Amino acid sequence: MSEPKLAASVAPISRGSPPQLLWARRSEGAPFLGGFHVCPGGIVDEPDRRAPQDGGDDGASRAAALRELFE
């Protein structure tokens, strides 16, 4: 069995009326869940761990979540 990987996901919600959730649609050619709608997110990469942060895996997760959101 493979070891779980640290990952982060972002679910931005607008405060409008009604509130709206931001979804992304995965490319049809994606090797995993192609064409599915997802919240932006992904695994924590080594550069995320080196980003300036205020501690531990939590900081690396925040860096990964921000990177994924802008990708």
Side-chain angles (χ1 to χ4, degrees):
M1 184 182 297
S2 64
E3 194 69 25
K5 296 181 181 179
L6 187 61
S9 187
V10 180
I13 300 173
S14 75
R15 294 181 184 213
S17 182
Q20 296 181 336
L21 175 67
L22 171 69
W23 285 98
R25 184 158 193 256
R26 294 180 57 85
S27 166
E28 291 288 341
F32 180 72
L33 297 176
F36 276 67
H37 286 84
V38 296
C39 290
I43 65 169
V44 174
D45 292 327
E46 189 56 37
D48 302 321
R49 295 181 190 282
R50 293 191 309 260
Q53 52 190 280
D54 49 354
D57 285 340
D58 189 45
S61 295
R62 282 194 303 269
L66 287 171
R67 175 182 46 79
E68 288 288 336
L69 184 60
F70 286 101
E71 284 180 358

